[in-house]
Structures are given as C-alpha cells and as structure tokens.
Amino acid sequence: MAGQLSIAKALNEALRRSLEEDPKTLLMGEDIGKLGGVFRITDGLQKDFGEDRVIDTPLAESGIVGTAIGLALRGYRPVVEIQFDGFVYPAFDQIVSQLAKMHARALGHIKLPVTIRIPYAGGIGAVEHHSESHEAYFAHTAGLRVVSPSNAHDAHWMLRQAIASDDPVIFLEPKRRYWDKSEVGDEAGLPLHDARIVRPGADLTLIAYGPMVKVCLDAAAAAEEDGRRLEVVDLRSLSPIDFAALEASVKRTGRAVVVHEAPVFLGLGAELAARLTERCFYHLEAPILRVGGYHAPYPPSRVEEAFLPDLDRVLDAVDRAFAY
C-alpha cells in the first residue's frame, strides 16, 4: 500500500484493512454507508462489506455511542463516526460516564474496544458546530485514549492501532488536512502514543498536533531565513502524552512554543507548558509560550482565518521567546 495518499484515502484504507482482518470490526455512523460519509472517508466500504458491518445509523449520537458500548460488551470492535466535531456533545455523557469508566468500574475485567472518529477543527468555511476543537474535554477524562494524526502515514497506521486497542480511543481527524497528500509506508514506525520530531532544530521547540503541525513546519522554514533553527515536534497523542520526548527536546533547545487551534484558556497547551516548566526549569532560557484560538465561540466562516492561529502568530511567539 506504500505510496502517496491523501489523509482521507489513508483513513479509508485503514478502515478497509481493519474490516478485512477482524470480522468483529463494525463501522457505525450517520450517512457512512451509501453516501460514504460527508468527507467520503467510508466510501465503498458498505458495498464491499455489507450493511451488517458498515451501518447507517439514525441521527442520534448518544444512541450511536451507547449501541457501540453494548456491541463492545458482546465482543465486537465498533468504530463510530461522529459526522462533525460539534455533534459529539449529545453523546458526551455516554463517552465520559460509561465508555471511559467501565474498565475501572469492572476492576479491569471488562474491556471496551471502541474507536470514535471525529473530524475536528476549522479551516473549511463551515457553519456553527462544524469547526470546534474539543480535545481538552476528552484528554481530561481518565480512561480515554486521545490521538490526532497530522499526515497520511500516521492517519493510516494510528487508526489501525486505535481499532486494535482494547481501550476506548477518541480519534481526532484534522478535517482541513483531509486532502493533503504524503507518503504512507508499509509499517507504523512508532507506537500509537509516541511523539515524533518532524523537523530537527537546536534553538526552540515548536510543539503541535493535528492541523497545526503544517503551520509550525511553515513557521520553522520561515524562521530559518533569520538564522533560527526551530525543532517541530508532532505530539500525535494527546492522552497519554509522550512527555519524555518533549522534555528531551526542550532541554536541548531551551525554549518552547505550544501551538493548537483550541482556545489558549485551559487548552492542552496549559498542561504542556506547566509540566515542561516543572521538568525543564533549569534548562529554560524563556517561559514556555502558547499560541491558540481565542476564548470565544467559533466565529462565522467569513472571519475564521482571523480566529485560527497562523504563521504570523506563531512567529510572533517565537520572537517573544527569543526576546527574553
């Protein structure tokens, strides 16, 4: 399967392989069958695997997730699609009160191998409830694994690893990157929860995940023109977090900026900055800075580019880090 694929196609291939490898794997979601999903991630799968394994559901997220929990209890491995990020909230109670807690509640005797795929974040000019970044809610919830790929290789292999996991996984797909193409290798290369250095550097660490990795790579390329060598780390996993890799990078560079689309206020960057400050205090040349969205509802599409972190906002944070 190695070759240049879009993230969307890489995800489709991952679902296909998972369905082929395990007859207990099922797909569930709104319009995922005949339509193939609004982003066509499940295109052709119902035709090839049948309506009993690729299931079009009613418009009822709590029912979809609740049914997936019941199927998992019966030995199935359901993969749920939430059509858009903002539609997950009707299922929030099912996810955080049941799915995340059942393993601990049963003292480890019950496993719930449920993967919940959620297209998330902005940049596609959508209407309200279609561009939200709610990863902090789920990363804050013990019992859930939370991951987000930034490229086609990771999209394919991380989804297959998530489906194979015996724990519930929130799989966040950066929807504006669905059509970005990159090489997909024959092997995963990394465990599901390891961070990856995608651009080495020595002067400052940029930490990002999902849709912001490309922005940080562009910022690093621009900073190089000023003689600054920025290291870009793709977090990949938001819970658990590969703090060992982040700590090693920040100790090498002495400076760090965390970038995500979600609001800065109580966002994932707060935990990253606090934990890395505790672990790397005597190696830091400047405070760890954060770049993200504003503490406001996601705006109308005509002004979303002013809301989303961009290259200029990342470079401004880099300049402030070097000013100390």
Side-chain angles (χ1 to χ4, degrees), residues 180-204:
D180 291 1
K181 288 187 175 182
S182 60
E183 191 75 16
V184 178
D186 288 326
E187 296 181 356
L190 286 176
L192 180 60
H193 299 295
D194 282 14
R196 185 197 305 273
I197 295 174
V198 292
R199 180 184 175 115
D203 299 328
L204 180 145

Side-chain angles (χ1 to χ4, degrees), residues 209-223:
Y209 54 87
M212 284 291 106
V213 172
K214 184 177 185 302
V215 174
C216 287
L217 287 170
D218 291 343

Side-chain angles (χ1 to χ4, degrees), residues 5-11 38-41 81-83 117-120 124 152 155 171-181:
L5 295 178
S6 67
I7 288 178
K9 182 61 176 175
L11 291 168
V38 293
F39 294 105
R40 303 301 186 266
I41 305 302
E81 177 180 300
I82 302 296
Q83 196 169 71
R117 297 179 40 246
I118 309 176
Y120 83 116
I124 64 167
F171 194 89
L172 299 168
E173 301 170 4
K175 67 172 81 75
R176 69 161 145 161
R177 306 295 181 208
Y178 271 145
W179 301 277
D180 291 1
K181 288 187 175 182

Side-chain angles (χ1 to χ4, degrees), residues 204 254-256 277 281 283-289 320-324:
L204 180 145
R255 294 178 172 84
T277 298
F281 184 79
H283 294 80
L284 291 175
E285 302 291 339
I288 296 177
L289 303 179
R320 286 187 283 121
F322 278 101
Y324 280 92

Side-chain angles (χ1 to χ4, degrees), residues 122-123 125 176 212 260-261 291-314:
R176 69 161 145 161
M212 284 291 106
H260 53 61
E261 275 196 30
V291 178
Y294 301 107
H295 192 45
Y298 199 89
S301 59
R302 65 181 178 276
V303 294
E304 74 171 346
E305 290 304 320
F307 178 86
L308 295 172
D310 59 9
L311 183 144
D312 289 337
R313 281 165 62 184
V314 174

